Amino acid sequence: MIKTPIYLDNQATTPLDPRVLDAMMPYLKEHFGNPHSSTHSFGWRAAAALDIAREQVAGLIGGPPEEVFFTSGATEANNMVIKGVMAQRGAERPKIICVATEHKCVLEAARYCQQAGYELEILPVSEVGFLDLSMLEAAVDDRTALVSIMAINNEIGVIHPLKVVGEIVKASGALFHTDAAQAFGKIPLDVEACQLDFVSISAHKIYGPKGVGALYKRAGDSRSLSPLFSGGGQEQGVRAGTQPPALVAGLGAAAEIAGAELDGEAVRTKQMMTSFKEKLFSALPELILNGDAEERWAGNLNISFPGLDGDLLLANTRDIAVSSGAACASAVSGPSYVLKAIGCTDRRAKSALRIGMGRFTTKEELDYAAEHIIAAVDGMGGLKP
Ligand SMILES: *Cc1c(COP(=O)(O)O)cnc(C)c1O
């Protein structure tokens, strides 16, 4: 017997891996010290936890541990980079470039800078979600401080070619940032190969705890950004505030496990989601896949159900936990701006569901979900292309 509801919203967040919880527990209990207390063993013990996690995170992106800074999540890391770089460099180089499908927090931070007087260029994407490299090349110039291009899109799963983007960005002397909340621990990332200056990371997208993440910040130019917070000089002054050792240990363990299982999980995810997708599309051939079919994270399936309303469909598939858009945008009604950016009409965008499998999803669960979605569509009178 299958346990419902079935969780298929792994782009919104993931459950905590029990192995991650085990790594966190000692720091919630006996090792409670403040990592910034340098005069006694309670502090040293907590600081050691941060050191280990810094290595675990760095190991997954090919950078040195000293260039990893802990934050409350990817939202904070994104804000630190965008606002911090502009505060530091905006006078010489006033321009920020990103793509239209960035996470809300990147777009909003960039718009905040625009309000403050800096220039923002938001590049369009193609009908499958890719940025146009020649447009990027035309946009980046010696007035550009920062280019921020996400690694994997959280709604449509599209993977951006960071290596090529890095070459274009670095040729102009701009700094290169990627929001890797959906990519870190899922696909190989290399800050050297991609010439990245900044990478934003979140623990809760990789079976770690919510409320912690990291910013990779290249040391090359120590004054690449102004810190967002004033405070006690933690994290080399880049991010003030007492670090949470239990959460950080959880992020580290989550990164370590994700790295060790990365290849196997990629294969398993692709096999399971391909068969799930085939089941849906053979029963409902009018379905439309949103985002490129190949260059995508296989764990994400974003599908439009022509003629149906996504929210109504959700209401008819209550024992499957999926979403009709990004969790962070769900307070805002109306069609997804990401789907609009790939050229979806309002109707097609509103008919979309995002289905995301994860580490703990089973084949039985996906079979059940496929049957229920197909039955719900039939019950609603079928698709109307
Ligand atoms: C989840 C997510 C974020 C926000 O991360 P938090 O750690 O929850 O702040 C940012 N960008 C992308 C692409 C995400 O998927």
Side-chain angles (χ1 to χ4, degrees):
M1 209 27 212
I2 240 164
K3 194 165 156 274
T4 56
I6 294 170
Y7 188 70
L8 289 175
D9 201 8
N10 284 278
Q11 274 80 46
T13 194
T14 55
L16 194 69
D17 190 303
R19 295 169 288 180
V20 172
L21 180 61
D22 288 345
M24 294 171 63
M25 285 311 278
Y27 301 98
L28 288 166
K29 292 171 148 179
E30 60 268 34
H31 304 315
F32 61 84
N34 184 328
H36 225 213
S37 298
S38 55
T39 52
H40 50 68
S41 64
F42 293 89
W44 304 334
R45 184 78 208 218
L50 305 186
D51 289 342
I52 294 168
R54 236 182 276 284
E55 280 182 15
Q56 288 167 317
V57 170
L60 223 49
I61 54 174
E66 311 80 62
E67 297 179 1
V68 172
F69 302 90
F70 298 115
T71 70
S72 65
T75 299
E76 185 184 334
N78 287 339
N79 273 271
M80 282 166 72
V81 172
I82 293 166
K83 295 174 183 172
V85 166
M86 295 322 287
Q88 187 67 34
R89 307 204 146 185
E92 293 159 51
R93 288 176 169 251
K95 191 163 147 190
I96 314 170
I97 297 173
C98 62
V99 288
T101 50
E102 291 298 330
H103 190 271
K104 198 101 194 155
C105 65
V106 168
L107 289 174
E108 289 304 317
R111 287 192 185 112
Y112 174 94
C113 293
Q114 188 182 31
Q115 292 280 310
Y118 300 114
E119 293 165 36
L120 171 60
E121 185 161 354
I122 301 177
L123 298 173
V125 295
S126 71
E127 76 284 357
V128 291
F130 289 130
L131 80 162
D132 181 330
L133 293 170
S134 61
M135 285 188 81
L136 175 68
E137 219 157 3
V140 192
D141 55 18
D142 60 7
R143 300 176 60 257
T144 308
L146 180 70
V147 177
S148 182
I149 309 283
M150 71 198 319
I152 295 183
N153 184 272
N154 49 307
E155 284 192 50
I156 54 176
V158 169
I159 304 174
H160 287 295
L162 296 185
K163 199 157 170 265
V164 193
V165 172
E167 275 158 29
I168 296 171
V169 173
K170 294 322 285 183
S172 73
L175 296 171
F176 181 26
H177 167 240
T178 193
D179 173 357
Q182 296 286 342
F184 177 76
K186 301 212 185 81
I187 59 169
L189 281 174
D190 189 320
V191 294
E192 294 311 325
C194 300
Q195 304 184 63
L196 281 155
D197 296 292
F198 307 105
V199 180
S200 299
I201 289 165
S202 177
H204 75 94
K205 304 290 172 71
I206 56 160
Y207 314 92
K210 291 164 193 50
V212 68
L215 171 65
Y216 163 82
K217 173 186 163 298
R218 185 175 292 279
D221 184 349
S222 58
R223 284 165 42 84
S224 55
L225 57 75
S226 307
L228 225 50
F229 297 169
S230 311
Q234 291 91 346
E235 298 295 296
Q236 301 177 49
V238 170
R239 199 280 193 177
T242 303
Q243 303 94 331
L247 294 178
V248 169
L251 166 62
E256 172 104 43
I257 294 166
E261 300 182 352
L262 190 142
D263 293 336
E265 266 303 282
V267 171
R268 190 186 80 97
T269 302
K270 182 142 195 189
Q271 281 170 349
M272 281 176 60
M273 280 303 250
T274 303
S275 115
F276 174 73
K277 184 177 143 206
E278 275 163 8
K279 234 172 237 148
L280 281 184
F281 277 71
S282 64
L284 306 165
E286 301 89 351
L287 291 178
I288 308 168
L289 178 71
N290 294 315
D292 191 69
E294 299 303 323
E295 288 300 308
R296 71 185 298 128
W297 168 243
N300 166 299
L301 212 50
N302 190 310
I303 310 174
S304 282
F305 292 75
L308 297 187
D309 179 73
D311 288 328
L312 265 181
L313 183 55
L314 280 179
N316 284 293
T317 51
R318 281 264 181 253
D319 47 5
I320 307 165
V322 295
S323 70
S324 56
C328 33
S330 66
V332 193
S333 61
S336 144
Y337 68 87
V338 171
L339 296 179
K340 296 281 282 181
I342 62 169
C344 290
T345 58
D346 282 6
R347 283 174 64 94
R348 180 174 149 196
K350 280 187 172 169
S351 77
L353 290 189
R354 180 182 69 178
I355 306 167
M357 73 162 271
R359 180 181 290 165
F360 302 110
T361 306
T362 64
K363 184 176 177 305
E364 290 68 36
E365 288 178 324
L366 283 184
D367 288 346
Y368 181 95
E371 279 163 32
H372 275 245
I373 292 170
I374 294 164
V377 170
D378 285 344
M380 292 169 76
L383 301 176
K384 297 165 202 74

